[in-house]
């Protein structure tokens, strides 16, 4: 669980105020909110399946997901989950657009209805996989307080995309020690989450 002090620690924008102003029609607030999640939109729209099927439209569709997140956000919702909420909206928009594109391609190629259904099923399986990965990531974060202090710092660093070398520099530890903390943490997380493979 993220404490209130985390907002100051990571110097996050005031998403609560931004969302409120954006929902009330403030264009500067909406623009600022879009800018906050610009990197996420670019990352998700550049995934191979999105660029293959949607091309240059992928980024615009991802931005549409951000706008829908602003529209659908309810006052009183956990503001520290706003990034996950926006991510889900972007993924949903991209997934829907891909399904539509696949249906159009199937119709244009004169394929049977069975082929179209098969494409939809394949796309949906890929979407379910991404949902499963997000669920696993959420579970890992929920289990972090059960790890040792150093193990928690190492896993948090890895989740942020940092390398073992960079984490070692930040914690003033050698890479061998960081790797040891990582392997012990992963072993404990596997036990906590019931992962056998």
């Amino acid at each position: 669980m993220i404490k209130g002090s985390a907002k100051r620690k990571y110097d996050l924008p005031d998403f609560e105020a931004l969302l409120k102003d954006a929902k009330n029609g403030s264009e500067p607030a909406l623009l600022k909110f879009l800018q906050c999640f610009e990197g996420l939109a670019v990352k998700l729209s550049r995934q191979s399946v999105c660029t293959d099927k949607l091309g240059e439209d992928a980024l615009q569709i991802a931005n549409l997901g951000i706008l829908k997140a602003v529209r659908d956000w309810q006052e009183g919702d956990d503001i520290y989950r706003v990034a996950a909420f926006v991510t889900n909206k972007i993924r949903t928009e991209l997934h829907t657009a891909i399904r539509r594109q696949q249906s159009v391609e199937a119709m244009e190629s004169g394929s049977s209805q069975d082929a179209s259904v098969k494409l939809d099923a394949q796309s949906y399986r890929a979407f379910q996989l991404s949902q499963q990965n997000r669920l696993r990531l959420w579970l890992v974060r929920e289990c972090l307080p059960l790890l040792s202090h150093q193990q928690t710092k190492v896993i948090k660093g890895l989740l942020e995309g940092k390398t073992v070398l960079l984490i070692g520099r930040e914690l003033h530890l050698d890479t061998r020690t960081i790797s040891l903390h990582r392997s012990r943490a992963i072993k404990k997380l596997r036990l906590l989450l019931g992962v056998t493979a």
Side-chain angles (χ1 to χ4, degrees):
M1 187 175 188
I2 301 175
K3 296 180 181 176
S5 61
K7 187 176 177 182
R8 292 189 299 274
K9 182 178 177 183
Y10 297 108
D11 194 27
L12 293 173
D14 188 349
F15 285 123
E16 203 159 12
L18 271 178
L19 279 165
K20 188 175 180 181
D21 291 344
K23 284 176 79 73
N24 288 333
S26 168
E27 287 188 15
L30 187 57
L31 181 61
K32 175 71 175 171
F33 193 81
L34 281 165
Q35 288 171 343
C36 287
F37 291 98
E38 182 180 12
L40 178 64
V42 169
K43 180 181 175 182
L44 294 178
S45 64
R46 284 185 178 169
Q47 290 176 348
S48 58
V49 66
C50 295
T51 52
D52 289 347
K53 293 292 178 186
L54 305 174
E56 294 177 2
D57 293 333
L59 182 57
Q60 294 303 319
I61 293 165
N63 284 330
L64 178 61
I66 299 174
L67 295 175
K68 287 194 175 182
V70 172
R71 183 197 66 189
D72 295 341
W73 184 264
Q74 298 297 317
E75 194 172 340
D77 287 347
D78 183 0
I79 197 64
Y80 297 106
R81 305 243 343 137
V82 68
F85 186 76
V86 171
T87 302
N88 285 340
K89 287 292 181 182
I90 293 172
R91 287 185 185 276
T92 300
E93 286 305 308
L94 289 168
H95 166 67
T96 303
I98 289 169
R99 287 187 64 188
R100 286 176 182 155
Q101 182 64 29
Q102 288 174 329
S103 296
V104 168
E105 288 172 1
M107 288 173 65
E108 287 177 349
S109 65
S111 301
S112 65
Q113 189 176 1
D114 290 341
S116 180
V117 170
K118 187 177 179 182
L119 282 171
D120 278 353
Q122 184 181 1
S123 177
Y124 186 65
R125 278 197 298 273
F127 181 68
Q128 280 184 316
L129 180 62
S130 66
Q131 282 188 315
Q132 188 179 42
N133 288 338
R134 292 200 303 278
L135 177 60
R136 284 175 179 163
L137 183 59
W138 180 81
L139 287 170
V140 166
R141 285 176 175 154
E142 289 297 302
C143 291
L144 285 180
L146 303 175
L147 301 177
S148 72
H149 183 67
Q150 292 285 37
Q151 288 173 358
T152 300
K153 285 188 172 182
V154 170
I155 295 298
K156 275 185 177 178
L158 293 171
L159 289 175
E160 291 167 5
K162 296 177 182 175
T163 63
V164 170
L165 188 63
L166 181 58
I167 296 168
R169 284 184 194 150
E170 290 178 352
L171 300 179
H172 306 291
L173 296 170
D174 58 79
T175 54
R176 186 176 176 184
T177 305
I178 295 296
S179 296
L180 186 62
H181 282 309
R182 178 183 61 184
S183 60
R184 286 178 177 172
I186 289 172
K187 185 177 180 181
K188 188 167 185 179
L189 286 169
R190 283 178 177 274
L191 287 171
L192 290 168
L193 299 174
V195 178
T196 55

